[in-house]
Amino acid sequence: MQNFTQFAPTEIVFGKGVQSQTGKEVKRWGGSRALLVYGGGSVVRSGLLREVEESLAAEQIVYEEFGGVKPNPRLAHTEEGVKKALDFGADFILAIGGGSAIDTAKGIAHGAANPENALWDIWTKKVPLTKSLPVGCVLTIAAAGSETSDSAVLTNEAIGKKAGINTDFNRPKFAIMNPELTHTLPKYQIACGITDIMMHTLERYFIPNQKNQMTDEIAEGILRTVIENGRKGYENPQDYDAMSEIMWCGSLSHNNLTELGRGKDFCVHKFGHALSAKYDKAHGATLSAMWGSWAKYVYQNDIPRFAHYGEKVWGIKAETVEDTAKAAIDRTVAYFRELDMPVNLKELGVGPVTDEDLMELARDATMGGTVRLSKIKELDVNDVYEIFQKASGK
């Protein structure tokens, strides 16, 4: 097992009705002037925004609203939020929503704490990030795990680039998590969320030379739990117990717990980010569209690992180790289909694509061909191009 340092400081407030505690949490973590960051009208129509504002008012916390966050959150909109936070004098950024709202809030916090620097320069590490404003969140979608993670992603529309930043400054101070808030989600969003949770775990699981029994057990438990309850929650979003399990799996899948002692490999996320930046597709859907093609391209470099996954997560025991490995890949792809998730580019709604389109995606995923992806099998830009080709059906 590799050396590691564990740091997962986010306070979790979980259960029915806990959004009423938002004001106390903001106050506890030093907030007195909170900028509320959210997406469309769902938090307004549901009454959640009003509940949160009443909770803040009860603690004499002044607040200002900043709505309009979109999926694949935009840099330009986040920069507007930075300006609003500065004009308002915000000392706390509160996200209400899912990963897009939370990532936007993180970006606003970084930008408002460092107004002398361009946010994209901070995001791309041209200038070091040494301070930020505190962030809290009221979670409404179990998916991205941003409520407990050290990561955040923004899309720079001006240059067509989606990029992430990892820093401990991204760790929210608290996460309010009431599974009841997910009951009205469209099934497509639920399915995208389940896919993202699985992928956050899988991209930390398929690492070569494994000697991490405890970390494996945690990851495999998360995968089995989200698969089982994903079926239930997708069929009936009103199933509180199922949605509770999915929500908790989402937080555990992306707080770095399942990478301790081995690291991570977010290769498929790189593919997904390239697709989202070019075609503005839902993040979870880009991952399901690419995972099977990636797995089939690399699995022969670590057949025992894929077979182990098949046995532990899916209960597969085929005649040979390789048959078990291949069956595990097929079973995962079949599960995505159960959730009506795309498993290729055509189903994602991307196409027809030219070879030039596919190479552009490959170059974006590999930072212009300057980096190699994947640890089971090292992938250069031409390998990534071939994987995109497989996903496109060419």
Side-chain angles (χ1 to χ4, degrees):
M1 185 180 292
Q2 300 171 12
N3 294 2
F4 66 84
T5 299
Q6 182 188 19
F7 183 64
T10 302
E11 180 189 13
I12 305 297
V13 184
F14 193 102
K16 296 180 179 180
V18 292
Q19 63 268 26
S20 64
Q21 300 178 42
T22 306
K24 292 180 180 179
E25 287 298 314
V26 172
K27 188 173 185 178
R28 176 183 178 186
W29 293 100
S32 61
R33 298 181 67 82
L35 183 70
L36 312 188
V37 180
Y38 58 94
S42 61
V43 300
V44 178
R45 293 190 299 272
S46 68
L48 177 59
L49 182 62
R50 175 181 50 78
E51 286 185 73
V52 170
E53 290 178 343
E54 289 175 352
S55 176
L56 295 171
E59 299 297 328
Q60 289 80 52
I61 295 168
V62 183
Y63 58 83
E64 186 77 26
E65 296 178 6
F66 181 68
V69 174
K70 293 180 172 60
N72 298 313
R74 277 55 164 180
L75 173 68
H77 184 255
T78 307
E79 290 172 331
E80 291 176 22
V82 171
K83 184 177 185 304
K84 186 147 191 174
L86 291 170
D87 291 344
F88 173 59
D91 59 13
F92 197 96
I93 311 299
L94 179 65
I96 308 172
S100 294
I102 299 170
D103 284 5
T104 300
K106 292 176 180 181
I108 292 171
H110 302 339
N114 302 275
E116 70 280 6
N117 294 314
L119 181 55
W120 194 245
D121 285 346
I122 295 172
W123 215 256
T124 54
K125 299 181 181 179
K126 290 182 180 177
V127 296
L129 180 64
T130 60
K131 60 184 176 179
S132 188
L133 295 182
V135 172
C137 51
V138 179
L139 188 65
T140 63
I141 303 172
S146 190
E147 69 276 3
T148 58
S149 80
D150 66 352
S151 65
V153 178
L154 291 176
T155 298
N156 186 334
E157 290 180 288
I159 62 173
K161 178 72 175 176
K162 186 174 184 178
I165 181 174
N166 289 79
T167 168
D168 284 336
F169 289 110
N170 276 335
R171 301 277 191 183
K173 298 300 184 183
F174 67 84
I176 299 288
M177 297 171 57
N178 176 2
E180 293 175 310
L181 301 179
T182 67
H183 287 345
T184 58
L185 288 173
K187 284 193 170 187
Y188 180 67
Q189 282 188 300
I190 294 172
C192 282
I194 293 165
T195 302
D196 202 12
I197 293 166
M198 289 181 65
M199 210 62 60
H200 284 150
T201 313
L202 291 170
E203 300 239 83
R204 293 173 165 96
Y205 188 83
F206 286 106
I207 306 293
N209 303 316
Q210 286 300 313
K211 294 181 181 178
N212 298 279
Q213 182 180 352
M214 188 68 252
T215 302
D216 265 5
E217 293 285 350
I218 294 169
E220 289 155 7
I222 289 172
L223 288 164
R224 289 192 301 267
T225 301
V226 78
I227 288 165
E228 176 186 345
N229 289 280
R231 289 188 175 108
K232 297 175 183 177
Y234 185 66
E235 180 65 27
N236 177 20
Q238 301 294 317
D239 186 334
Y240 178 83
D241 291 332
M243 299 306 288
S244 295
E245 299 291 351
I246 295 168
M247 180 173 272
W248 186 222
C249 283
S251 295
L252 293 177
S253 73
H254 204 29
N255 69 355
N256 294 349
L257 184 62
T258 59
E259 72 184 57
L260 298 182
R262 64 176 173 223
K264 60 187 174 184
D265 175 7
F266 268 38
C267 175
V268 179
H269 269 72
K270 297 294 186 184
F271 301 160
H273 287 171
L275 286 166
S276 290
K278 184 173 177 63
Y279 299 106
D280 196 23
K281 298 297 182 180
H283 176 60
T286 65
L287 301 178
S288 64
M290 293 300 302
W291 188 85
S293 295
W294 167 82
K296 291 173 183 177
Y297 194 85
V298 306
Y299 86 95
Q300 288 184 321
N301 281 59
D302 200 344
I303 291 172
R305 186 60 176 166
F306 279 87
H308 182 81
Y309 163 67
E311 291 179 18
K312 291 289 189 176
V313 175
W314 296 105
I316 299 169
K317 186 67 173 177
E319 186 172 337
T320 68
V321 174
E322 183 165 4
D323 286 344
T324 302
K326 290 191 291 186
I329 296 170
D330 291 341
R331 186 73 62 85
T332 306
V333 171
Y335 181 74
F336 292 148
R337 286 196 183 280
E338 282 186 54
L339 301 177
D340 299 314
M341 283 282 95
V343 297
N344 54 53
L345 296 189
K346 183 178 180 180
E347 292 179 11
L348 182 63
V350 171
V353 290
T354 64
D355 287 340
E356 289 75 16
D357 291 330
L358 297 176
M359 181 53 76
E360 180 185 343
L361 291 167
R363 291 185 62 79
D364 187 8
T366 58
M367 298 183 67
T370 63
V371 299
R372 293 173 181 262
L373 306 180
S374 194
K375 294 183 178 179
I376 285 180
K377 174 180 171 61
E378 192 174 78
L379 306 174
D380 63 18
V381 66
N382 293 314
D383 292 310
V384 173
Y385 166 76
E386 286 190 40
I387 293 170
F388 274 115
Q389 270 196 322
K390 288 180 180 296
S392 72
K394 284 182 173 286

